[in-house]
Amino acid sequence: MEEVRKLNYEGQTIFVGLDVHKKDWKVSIHFEDIAHKRFTMAPEPEKLVHYLHKNFPGASYQTVYEAGFSGFSAYRNLKALGVDCRVVHPGDVATTDKERRGKTDVRDANKLARELRSGTLTPITVPDETREQDRALLRQRKAVQKELNRIKQRIKSHLAFKGIRLPAELDKPSWPIRMFEWLGKLSEETEDMVLSSLLRQFRSNKEELKQMNMLILALSRMPRYEDEVRYISSLRGIGALSALTFLCETGDINNYPDMDHLCGYVGLVPSCHSSGEKERKGRLNHRGNKIVRTMLIECAWQAVQRDPQLHFDYCQYCKRMDKDKAIVRIAKKLLSRIRYVLMTRCEFDYSYLT
């Protein structure tokens, strides 16, 4: 009787590219020298790992997928099952013109496996589950705040449509209590059901924002953030909320080897196009973290009013560029100071100003 030889891939590496979707995964498998197989499967890490062990026993497995809507659950599940997994920025995957013009999910998976095999992919840093949850809380607060602003605009639009003007002494960026008293009285007198509905929505979101602010305040006082929040908050123009946002979005400051890497993550780097002797620099690179970049620019506007040195620098920049460009330079200086206080683990010393 002829002996059946068992498969043995010991010493070999199997490269797996995943195009992750809600209903299915497109899978492309490569060996160290050739492409092997492409197929579609259910979005279940356990089934993928079972397939790899069954068909390529003894091999080491490397998987990769692009960061997107699905977050990092697939990454954590594959890691827990003993399979190496990486998550990459979609913009960092090399794409040929043919792949760009004929984009399909299968080609995307194959492209990931190919680049993983060649070693050209740079994975992003995946946050731990605790920091991811904290970051989600801060992002949800931002969404609630944004919805509050939208409701305020709807109220203004509704009143303008009916020809009602807001009192000038009450129409401020932050509506005082008297404004809501006036709006409530107006809705009762006019029996305006739409205005009443908008006011109920506003009060509900306002209460939700209050609760979230309390949770975030308690979070900033937890041991894992307390010291760092104090260091960053020592900088003029930055409060506890902005400090906590920076920490949750960027993670460990030691993950960034130098200021250039940190600026690249935040997005305080101008786009650049050069050809021959010509070089043109444009707007800020869109790839950065929009939340941190926006927060830093908002803090920079506060800092130029409270910090004499930054105010002087801002005035000097304004002599040769627009104000919007000048404040970006100040935001970069503020980012440098944040990095300094986190690296040295001490509050910023303003004694040089006296």
Side-chain angles (χ1 to χ4, degrees):
M1 184 175 180
E2 185 177 351
E3 183 180 357
V4 178
R5 298 180 61 183
K6 293 184 178 180
L7 295 174
N8 186 5
Y9 287 86
E10 188 173 352
Q12 296 190 43
T13 303
I14 305 299
F15 303 95
V16 183
L18 302 173
D19 193 56
V20 178
H21 292 277
K22 182 178 179 179
K23 294 183 178 181
D24 56 40
W25 286 357
K26 307 298 182 184
V27 183
S28 178
I29 297 178
H30 284 219
F31 293 146
E32 294 178 351
D33 50 354
I34 61 170
H36 172 64
K37 189 177 183 180
R38 306 173 190 176
F39 60 92
T40 301
M41 62 169 291
E44 299 177 18
E46 295 80 6
K47 289 187 177 180
L48 175 62
V49 174
H50 174 74
Y51 176 87
L52 293 175
H53 284 301
K54 179 181 178 181
N55 292 275
F56 313 104
S60 60
Y61 315 110
Q62 293 186 16
T63 61
V64 63
Y65 69 94
E66 295 177 347
F69 80 98
S70 61
F72 305 109
S73 59
Y75 167 89
R76 296 191 178 103
N77 289 332
L78 288 170
K79 283 281 190 180
L81 294 169
V83 174
D84 180 38
C85 185
R86 305 174 190 182
V87 184
V88 296
H89 191 291
D92 288 340
V93 184
T95 306
T96 64
D97 183 67
K98 181 180 179 180
E99 290 169 336
R100 190 178 295 109
R101 294 176 182 273
K103 182 185 181 304
T104 65
D105 294 340
V106 174
R107 284 184 176 177
D108 288 344
N110 185 66
K111 177 175 57 177
L112 286 168
R114 181 192 67 212
E115 297 303 314
L116 179 63
R117 183 182 66 187
S118 63
T120 59
L121 294 178
T122 302
I124 64 174
T125 301
V126 177
D128 59 66
E129 293 186 65
T130 300
R131 184 165 71 85
E132 187 178 24
Q133 184 67 27
D134 297 341
R135 187 174 66 180
L137 175 63
L138 287 160
R139 290 182 178 182
Q140 178 62 18
R141 182 204 175 275
K142 188 176 181 66
V144 173
Q145 180 67 65
K146 189 174 182 178
E147 183 62 24
L148 272 175
N149 294 335
R150 286 177 175 173
I151 296 173
K152 288 172 68 173
Q153 293 303 319
R154 293 187 192 121
I155 292 174
K156 288 183 177 181
S157 297
H158 178 68
L159 295 179
F161 182 78
K162 300 193 69 174
I164 302 173
R165 285 191 173 186
L166 291 172
E169 67 276 9
L170 299 180
D171 189 11
K172 300 178 180 180
S174 179
W175 283 0
I177 297 177
R178 289 182 299 155
M179 170 64 85
F180 298 105
E181 294 174 349
W182 181 81
L183 289 171
K185 185 177 179 181
L186 178 65
S187 65
E188 292 177 0
E189 292 176 351
T190 59
E191 297 183 354
D192 192 332
M193 293 183 291
V194 174
L195 181 57
S196 299
S197 173
L198 290 171
L199 287 173
R200 286 195 300 272
Q201 292 178 45
F202 190 91
R203 294 190 186 99
S204 175
N205 280 271
K206 191 74 173 178
E207 182 61 29
E208 181 64 24
L209 183 64
K210 181 180 177 181
Q211 296 295 326
M212 298 191 77
N213 285 338
M214 294 174 62
L215 291 173
I216 291 171
L217 179 62
L219 182 64
S220 67
R221 294 174 177 173
M222 288 187 175
R224 62 177 179 273
Y225 295 121
E226 185 178 13
D227 291 339
E228 286 80 4
V229 167
R230 187 175 74 254
Y231 302 148
I232 300 176
S233 300
S234 67
L235 296 167
R236 296 176 184 177
I238 301 182
L241 176 61
S242 297
L244 189 61
T245 299
F246 181 87
L247 292 170
C248 290
E249 291 290 340
T250 59
D252 188 356
I253 196 66
N254 294 310
N255 291 334
Y256 309 92
D258 50 40
M259 187 63 184
D260 289 342
H261 283 80
L262 185 57
C263 286
Y265 175 79
V266 173
L268 292 178
V269 178
S271 57
C272 180
H273 178 79
S274 63
S275 178
E277 298 177 354
K278 296 181 180 180
E279 182 176 356
R280 178 174 60 85
K281 291 187 177 180
R283 295 185 175 184
L284 292 179
N285 195 321
H286 70 279
R287 277 197 48 172
N289 187 308
K290 185 179 179 180
I291 294 176
V292 180
R293 181 171 65 247
T294 302
M295 179 271 294
L296 279 173
I297 292 176
E298 290 174 352
C299 291
W301 283 114
Q302 296 294 322
V304 295
Q305 300 177 34
R306 303 180 185 182
D307 189 320
Q309 181 62 54
L310 293 181
H311 177 74
F312 174 80
D313 294 339
Y314 173 72
C315 293
Q316 293 298 111
Y317 288 135
C318 286
K319 292 179 181 179
R320 62 179 192 269
M321 62 182 68
D322 295 336
K323 291 182 178 181
D324 290 342
K325 293 182 179 179
I327 203 64
V328 171
R329 301 289 183 92
I330 300 301
K332 192 170 182 179
K333 286 180 176 288
L334 203 58
L335 180 61
S336 178
R337 291 186 176 186
I338 292 175
R339 181 175 183 272
Y340 170 78
V341 297
L342 290 177
M343 295 293 289
T344 59
R345 300 194 63 79
C346 66
E347 298 181 16
F348 193 79
D349 185 8
Y350 283 98
S351 61
Y352 72 96
L353 295 174
T354 59

